[in-house]
Amino acid sequence: MEDFEAYVSAAWPRLLRSAWLLTHDWHRAEDLVQTVLARAYGRWPRIKDGAPDAYLRAMLASTYLSWWRRRWRGELPTEQLPEQPAGGGELEGVELRHLLADALARLPRQQRAVLMLRFHGDFTEADTARALGLRIGTVKSHTSRALAALRHDPQLRALLSEGAGR
Amino acid sequence: MSDEEQVIDLLDRATASVPAALLEAPHAAIRRRVRRRRAAGWTAAAAAALLIIAGFAVARPGPAAQMPAAPGAAPAATSAQEAPGVPWLGARIDRTGTRLTVYAVPLLGKCVAERDPNRDDLVLDDDRVTVQLDGIYTGCADDTQVTSRTFTLPQALGDRFVVDGRSPRGQPFLFSDKDVPDFAAGGWSEQKAVWLNSGAAVLQLYLTRPGGPDLIFTPARWQPEPDGRVATPDHTLTLGDLQIDVYNRPGQQAAGWFSSHNSDVRFMLTVAGNPLEKDAFDALLRGMTWA
């Protein structure tokens, strides 16, 4: 299926970003996206005419949560050097990512999944609830708690205000 | 900006740059997973069909009278029962080929407990060595603890496979100390192994020697992509029979290489603590005993 491969080539980086928000580790993110794409392959004729990104992000979130319920089966390659903080005192992407990863790691996994779908995948509350098999009220409370946790994180608070000042 | 807009902005900024090595979609790896899923699907369907047939056969009355079970007799074990113990992820064989260490699979938030080494099992055959580890998984605070068991084999492992008796179709990785420098010859002593991260299937071994530098050594299963997903090294050294990729990044150097007898294991070696100068790191690698 050439159109599946073409889609994967184009969508890979954005799906990887979504998966990183769940796993806060690039290699686990890669493992998660590969798993989801392999599952999506057989359903591609049905997926392709809708909103494939949204469908796959929902699969990323639900697969991630089911992995957690069972166990992480991932295999981590190691030849990638750990990311190093950028120099020069400026808060670059790597440092920002480290801070965000720490903050995300402190969130319960369902809150992390809700956060990814709502604020990265642009899902509505109803769509998020459907994707994760939750009630809309639960999605609302997860969203509100996750936002509060990020807002009260001392290191992220400065970043949030920095972003607001742009 | 509202709270929500600020979070959207933060998530976008944090994930703006994907590591270069991961930017291209690994089509070959995805195709492999698709094939594995299909194979697994057929296997599951065949197994389900067999179960239905077997169930039908059991449900039918047999021609011969059943022997009554002896009072108090334990029910016979069936193949459908899960084998006891915990699965293991990988194995290491020492330079003599006779000391075999196996590492139990790490699970997120869990550790292996209630282990009785006397209930570990080692079966030696002409073509394989089968190992089974006793224990169960329980929740624990530090899931980076490694559970391992070292066996002494009466004869060198040689070309024999090493398989997990609990999950014989699994694919545990195996590496030999012959694929890595002789750290002991260089004066390093090995500390207790840990898993790299919570739930991560990457072993981390800390090596220390008087006067340093201390080293961090990580062996892990790795299946390289045909399109070359290994990060481009700054340069390569040929040491013994091995091609060593050397990475010099600000504040850190690392060396990476594959096991010589197959490409399933990738090793990585870094200096713990303060980084060395580039030349000093190369000299350190060249000064090690590789063979």
Side-chain angles (χ1 to χ4, degrees):
Chain A
M1 281 199 279
E2 285 176 12
D3 53 350
F4 178 77
E5 300 236 330
Y7 168 78
V8 169
S9 293
W12 174 261
R14 50 183 189 265
L15 294 175
L16 202 59
R17 290 185 180 100
S18 303
W20 184 89
L21 292 171
L22 298 169
T23 62
H24 48 86
D25 176 291
W26 285 118
H27 292 294
R28 287 185 184 187
E30 185 191 23
D31 194 17
L32 180 58
V33 178
Q34 282 191 24
T35 301
V36 162
L37 286 171
R39 285 182 186 168
Y41 180 84
R43 310 176 200 172
W44 182 243
R46 279 181 288 136
I47 297 172
K48 67 178 179 180
D49 294 328
D53 274 12
Y55 191 96
L56 287 162
R57 283 197 175 108
M59 281 181 78
L60 285 174
S62 57
T63 304
Y64 168 72
L65 291 175
S66 73
W67 264 350
W68 165 64
R69 279 190 286 268
R70 286 177 287 144
R71 72 177 177 93
W72 187 268
R73 304 178 69 91
E75 296 162 3
L76 297 182
T78 57
E79 74 277 0
Q80 292 303 309
L81 290 165
E83 289 183 299
Q84 294 297 306
E90 191 182 345
L91 202 58
E92 298 283 351
V94 171
E95 279 189 61
L96 173 58
R97 203 151 45 237
H98 281 309
L99 293 179
L100 183 63
D102 286 346
L104 290 175
R106 287 192 284 272
L107 295 181
R109 288 171 174 81
Q110 278 199 336
Q111 286 185 22
R112 217 180 298 161
V114 168
L115 207 65
M116 187 277 278
L117 291 176
R118 293 276 290 113
F119 301 119
H120 186 70
D122 207 18
F123 276 46
T124 63
E125 286 172 341
D127 287 341
T128 306
R130 225 180 349 262
L132 300 179
L134 301 172
R135 288 198 296 265
I136 291 185
T138 310
V139 169
K140 283 181 179 171
S141 70
H142 279 333
T143 307
S144 144
R145 284 177 188 166
L147 286 177
L150 296 184
R151 202 183 305 123
H152 292 115
D153 186 295
Q155 290 180 299
L156 280 186
R157 197 186 307 154
L159 295 176
L160 288 167
S161 1
E162 181 187 304
R166 288 181 176 190
Chain B
M1 271 178 137
S2 70
D3 264 7
E4 296 190 358
E5 286 168 334
Q6 286 180 31
V7 168
I8 291 169
D9 177 65
L10 181 65
L11 301 187
D12 286 348
R13 282 160 58 204
T15 56
S17 59
V18 174
L22 300 179
L23 264 176
E24 286 189 25
H27 290 288
I30 296 166
R31 279 194 291 268
R32 265 204 309 273
R33 289 189 188 221
V34 169
R35 282 197 295 272
R36 276 207 298 266
R37 279 183 60 76
R38 284 179 174 164
W42 280 110
T43 306
L50 281 174
L51 276 175
I52 291 168
I53 294 166
F56 177 69
V58 167
R60 291 176 65 193
Q66 297 282 317
M67 287 287 286
T78 68
S79 57
Q81 284 179 319
E82 191 178 0
V86 293
W88 51 271
L89 179 79
R92 173 183 183 178
I93 189 80
D94 79 341
R95 287 173 178 275
T96 68
T98 56
R99 280 175 60 81
L100 176 72
T101 303
V102 297
Y103 302 94
V105 168
L107 293 188
L108 203 59
K110 292 185 185 286
C111 299
V112 178
E114 297 184 24
R115 261 186 58 67
D116 178 358
N118 293 322
R119 291 211 298 260
D120 290 343
D121 198 22
L122 177 74
V123 179
L124 304 168
D125 290 310
D126 290 344
D127 63 338
R128 68 185 56 207
V129 171
T130 306
V131 178
Q132 191 162 315
L133 289 183
D134 179 55
I136 59 166
Y137 286 104
T138 58
C140 68
D142 179 12
D143 58 6
T144 63
Q145 298 173 63
V146 167
T147 297
S148 63
R149 168 76 192 269
T150 299
F151 298 90
T152 301
L153 309 180
Q155 291 176 322
L157 178 67
D159 295 331
R160 285 179 290 177
F161 296 107
V162 185
V163 297
D164 184 356
R166 189 179 184 279
S167 49
R169 289 186 190 82
Q171 294 181 314
F173 68 82
L174 172 70
F175 73 93
S176 164
D177 281 356
K178 288 181 179 173
D179 287 330
V180 305
D182 188 343
F183 294 118
W188 281 280
S189 55
E190 200 173 300
Q191 309 297 301
K192 191 175 186 310
V194 293
W195 297 110
L196 183 62
N197 284 312
S198 185
V202 179
L203 267 180
Q204 186 175 61
L205 296 160
Y206 196 86
L207 299 148
T208 182
R209 74 174 178 185
D214 292 345
L215 304 172
I216 296 170
F217 172 64
T218 54
R221 181 207 301 275
W222 176 242
Q223 292 166 323
E225 291 304 309
D227 53 355
R229 282 175 51 227
V230 171
T232 307
D234 292 282
H235 60 276
T236 301
L237 300 175
T238 303
L239 299 171
D241 295 333
L242 298 167
Q243 292 285 314
I244 313 296
D245 297 330
V246 181
Y247 302 89
N248 288 309
R249 303 285 159 83
Q252 190 175 22
Q253 296 95 25
W257 68 98
F258 288 110
S259 56
S260 59
H261 59 288
N262 60 43
S263 297
D264 288 349
V265 182
R266 177 78 169 170
F267 305 104
M268 184 129 170
L269 187 67
T270 56
V271 173
N274 292 330
L276 304 176
E277 295 296 323
K278 289 181 187 176
D279 291 345
F281 185 59
D282 281 7
L284 179 75
L285 293 172
R286 289 184 199 280
M288 293 175 173
T289 308
W290 296 79

